[in-house]
RNA sequence: CGGGACGUGGCUCAGUCCGGUAGAGCACUCGGCUGGGGGUCGAGGGGUCGCAGGUUCAAAUCCUGUCGUCCCGACCA
């Protein structure tokens, strides 16, 4: 068998790229740092999207759409926000091309009066709209989400993990009180945790970012942090409590029940196509992609095995009722009856693409009333009776989902350590993984650690050990252990 | 944006040092044998060598520029 996927142990980055290529998830585009998301990759995103969208709707949110272009002046209204994004904005300066001997060039006469920014995120244009929508406390809360693309001019890109253009959702909410806005921020953080753990089967740590890692313009940034197989952390989602920063910048006030005019409180939260990168690096192996059943575009693939046309017809007749029954149970099942590929080829291909369950059915099975079932996650193969197969498969999909989470959590926990001295920390960090250690809460210490070890504080965890101690670097007092890692 | 490596049929690469008629494997098309883990035999199709200049009788090969990819840094979802 030709080895098309680099082993993780040999070259993790190359392995990741090989998976993306072999599973046909995405291609590099002609434009640096952008990607073409292929049907296999997009189908995963669609499944993520639909699960998240349901969760947003269940928590009272509505979808809307705001423009791609933002007037340049809007970006400068919130000082912190500008500072955070100014370095990575695509700017539209002209509106026309003109032909010049066989090619085209920008028509200098079409220069725009006010240049437009391609949104790196939509706080500004949304808060400009909210000003017009909000007068009274009766107009609040506003709970809006949008599914969109955004552009951030990145220096170094990697498919899904960091691209110049990416797809995401961004929720933007407006509230009458601080408590309510904070509650919303934390509620959405929980939505993300639930999604990551229950759908992606990816265990996460929830926490607060330190000021240096905080979203530009936020009062507090909360996040879900996950740990990839190579021991590097991935920020998988963020939820921001924006305080009144944007309300003040865009002058959004409401008249409260007490007659007073007050600034609105805000939150924003988002997850992106980066999650697909996280999904890949959480579960996949040296044979290819491994997908949790809840997000797999195809949950079960059936490979018929036959020699003659007659056998082929027999096999198809034999499996038709099972396929129909699985469909009735809402299992996404695909019959791979392509005649131009050999069974062995198909096995390898579906394995590379991460289909959770593969059924192989040949004349022998027809005769014995069996079928062969292979699990993608464990690579186990078993002969099972056709009788009751549909229910067995339905249950097995749930088992696989649970097992993937358990395996990922077990791996994550094994890669999670504690360090009680800086020397110990420096030693452990070389192996990667999460490290819980005491920190004095200062930006100086944080910067020193980053400078010397390349590790950053991923978050100050919301749960777990809250015992105070002494900073491993300065020896000053520390309120609790914080989570360190090298990250993507 | 700095350092390094690399761009040659769809893919992986040889050829570049030392200029002289573009090659291999895989993939693709047609046909045969096949079919329970990337099978096999035969016959075909496909590349102005990333792009733009320059040197030369002659450039994949030498020179300059440019675009892109990968790895390592600085920056970030």
């Amino acid at each position: 068998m030709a080895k098309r996927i680099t082993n993780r142990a040999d070259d993790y980055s190359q392995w990741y790229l090989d998976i993306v290529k072999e599973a046909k998830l995405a291609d590099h585009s002609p434009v640096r740092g952008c990607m073409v998301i292929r049907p296999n990759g997009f189908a995963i995103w669609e499944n993520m999207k639909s699960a998240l969208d349901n969760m947003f709707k269940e928590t009272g949110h509505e979808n809307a759409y705001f423009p791609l272009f933002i007037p340049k002046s809007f970006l400068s209204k919130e000082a912190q926000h500008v500072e955070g994004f100014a370095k990575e904005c695509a700017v539209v300066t002209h509106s026309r091309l003109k032909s010049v001997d066989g090619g085209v060039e920008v028509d200098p006469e079409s220069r725009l009066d006010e240049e437009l920014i391609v949104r790196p995120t939509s706080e500004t244009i949304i808060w400009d709209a909210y000003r017009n929508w909000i007068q009274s406390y009766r107009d609040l809360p506003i709970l809006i989400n949008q599914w969109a693309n955004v552009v951030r001019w990145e220096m170094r890109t990697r498919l899904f993990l960091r691209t110049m253009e990416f797809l995401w959702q961004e929720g933007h909410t407006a509230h009458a009180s601080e408590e309510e806005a904070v509650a919303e921020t934390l509620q959405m953080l929980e939505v993300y945790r639930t999604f990551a753990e229950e759908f992606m089967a990816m265990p996460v740590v929830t926490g607060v970012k330190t000021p240096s890692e905080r979203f530009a313009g936020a009062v507090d940034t909360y996040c879900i942090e996950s740990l990839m197989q190579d021991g590097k952390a991935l920020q998988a989602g963020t939820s921001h409590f924006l305080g009144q920063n944007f309300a003040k910048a865009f002058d959004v006030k409401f008249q409260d029940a007490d007659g007073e005019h007050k600034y609105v409180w805000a939150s924003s939260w988002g997850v992106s196509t980066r999650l697909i990168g996280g999904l890949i690096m959480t579960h996949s192996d040296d044979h290819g992609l491994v997908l949790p059943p809840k997000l797999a575009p195809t949950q079960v693939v059936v490979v018929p095995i036959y020699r003659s046309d007659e056998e082929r017809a027999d096999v198809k007749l034999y499996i038709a009722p099972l396929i129909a029954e699985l469909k009735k149970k809402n299992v996404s099942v695909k019959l791979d009856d392509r005649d131009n590929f050999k069974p062995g080829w198909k096995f390898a291909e579906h394995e590379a693409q991460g289909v959770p369950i593969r059924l192989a059915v040949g004349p022998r099975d027809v005769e014995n009333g069996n079928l062969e079932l292979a699990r993608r996650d464990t690579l186990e193969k078993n002969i099972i009776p056709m009788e009751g197969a549909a229910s067995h498969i339905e249950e097995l999909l749930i088992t696989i989902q649970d097992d993937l989470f358990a395996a990922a959590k077990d791996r994550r926990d094994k890669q999670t350590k504690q360090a009680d001295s800086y020397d110990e920390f420096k030693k452990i960090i070389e192996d990667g993984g999460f490290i819980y250690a005491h920190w004095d809460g200062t930006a100086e210490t944080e910067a020193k650690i980053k400078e010397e070890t390349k590790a950053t504080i991923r978050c100050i965890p919301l749960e777990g050990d809250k015992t105070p101690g002494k900073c491993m670097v300065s020896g000053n007092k520390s309120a609790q252990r914080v989570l360190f890692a090298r990250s993507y």
Side-chain angles (χ1 to χ4, degrees), chain A residues 125-143:
Chain A
I125 197 134
I126 288 178
W127 278 86
D128 179 69
Y130 284 2
R131 182 180 53 242
N132 299 318
W133 297 356
I134 298 169
Q135 277 101 43
S136 142
Y137 71 97
R138 296 180 196 279
D139 296 323
L140 296 171
I142 293 180
L143 305 172

Side-chain angles (χ1 to χ4, degrees), chain A residues 145-400:
Chain A
N145 175 63
Q146 85 164 342
W147 291 94
N149 58 337
V150 286
V151 169
R152 295 180 189 175
W153 212 264
E154 296 291 347
M155 290 307 169
R156 200 171 153 190
T157 59
R158 298 187 79 190
L159 291 172
F160 292 114
L161 293 174
R162 176 166 298 107
T163 47
M164 295 219 305
E165 180 193 12
F166 56 91
L167 305 183
W168 77 345
Q169 59 66 217
E170 46 180 327
H172 296 274
T173 67
H175 306 266
S177 72
E178 177 174 10
E179 298 69 41
E180 201 183 308
V182 170
E184 164 76 7
T185 308
L186 292 171
Q187 171 184 246
M188 298 323 286
L189 184 71
E190 273 311 304
V191 164
Y192 288 155
R193 177 224 286 281
T194 304
F195 174 75
E197 299 196 339
E198 292 185 7
F199 286 82
M200 297 178 67
M202 181 175 79
V204 295
V205 173
T206 56
V208 195
K209 287 290 187 188
T210 62
S212 69
E213 299 276 333
R214 190 186 283 157
F215 172 74
V219 172
D220 275 314
T221 288
Y222 295 85
C223 61
I224 52 172
E225 291 285 328
S226 54
L227 191 66
M228 304 295 102
Q229 294 180 47
D230 63 345
K232 285 170 84 173
L234 185 77
Q235 178 175 309
T238 49
S239 184
H240 314 289
F241 169 56
L242 301 175
Q244 297 174 310
N245 291 348
F246 285 91
K248 285 177 179 164
F250 285 85
D251 194 32
V252 187
K253 291 181 192 167
F254 69 101
Q255 188 170 21
D256 207 347
D258 60 13
E260 296 283 312
H261 288 269
K262 299 171 182 171
Y263 284 113
V264 173
W265 297 86
S267 87
S268 73
W269 27 274
V271 295
S272 72
T273 35
R274 166 180 261 197
L275 288 178
I276 296 174
L279 191 66
I280 295 168
M281 291 196 291
T282 298
H283 304 298
S284 301
D285 61 22
D286 290 343
H287 300 271
L289 189 63
V290 174
L291 290 174
K294 284 189 187 176
L295 293 178
T298 300
Q299 295 172 313
V300 179
V301 67
V302 184
V303 178
I305 290 154
Y306 49 85
R307 292 162 209 269
S308 60
D309 284 349
E310 199 182 326
E311 281 184 352
R312 182 183 183 182
D314 286 349
V315 167
K316 284 178 95 165
L317 206 64
Y318 175 71
I319 52 181
L322 173 62
I323 290 173
E325 202 181 339
L326 286 171
K327 281 183 179 161
K328 212 186 293 171
K329 289 177 183 292
N330 275 322
V331 173
S332 155
V333 54
K334 199 174 109 183
L335 172 66
D336 186 356
D337 59 355
R338 292 173 297 175
D339 196 34
N340 51 338
F341 291 102
K342 299 288 143 61
W345 171 275
K346 294 177 183 177
F347 293 175
E349 186 180 56
H350 294 122
E351 215 159 80
Q353 297 186 1
V355 181
I357 293 178
R358 182 190 70 232
L359 303 175
V361 188
R364 220 151 59 206
D365 303 301
V366 175
E367 196 177 318
N368 302 328
N370 291 332
L371 41 88
E372 183 193 86
L373 184 153
R375 274 178 70 157
R376 176 61 187 94
D377 60 332
T378 59
L379 300 168
E380 283 174 289
K381 281 199 292 199
N382 284 303
I383 304 293
I384 63 161
M386 178 60 103
E387 179 85 39
S391 303
H392 176 74
I393 289 164
E394 193 182 24
E395 285 161 27
L396 184 59
L397 286 169
I398 295 167
T399 305
I400 292 173

Side-chain angles (χ1 to χ4, degrees), chain A residues 15-29:
Chain A
W15 167 80
Y16 177 81
L17 290 164
D18 289 346
I19 298 278
V20 172
K21 188 173 68 178
E22 285 302 315
K24 296 193 170 77
L25 301 177
D27 288 342
H28 286 284
S29 84

Side-chain angles (χ1 to χ4, degrees), chain A residues 88-133:
Chain A
E88 47 185 36
C89 286
V91 184
V92 179
T93 55
H94 292 77
S95 65
R96 263 203 311 270
L97 299 174
K98 64 177 185 183
S99 315
V100 280
D101 46 45
V104 284
E105 68 176 28
V106 174
D107 184 346
E109 289 178 15
S110 69
R111 180 166 264 285
L112 302 180
D113 289 339
E114 178 168 10
E115 289 160 346
L116 299 173
I117 309 303
V118 180
R119 61 179 166 220
T121 177
S122 303
E123 273 77 5
T124 59
I125 197 134
I126 288 178
W127 278 86
D128 179 69
Y130 284 2
R131 182 180 53 242
N132 299 318
W133 297 356

Side-chain angles (χ1 to χ4, degrees), chain A residues 75 78-87 216:
Chain A
L75 264 297
E78 212 289 327
Q80 293 300 314
H81 192 61
V82 193
E83 216 172 290
F85 286 104
K87 289 164 293 185

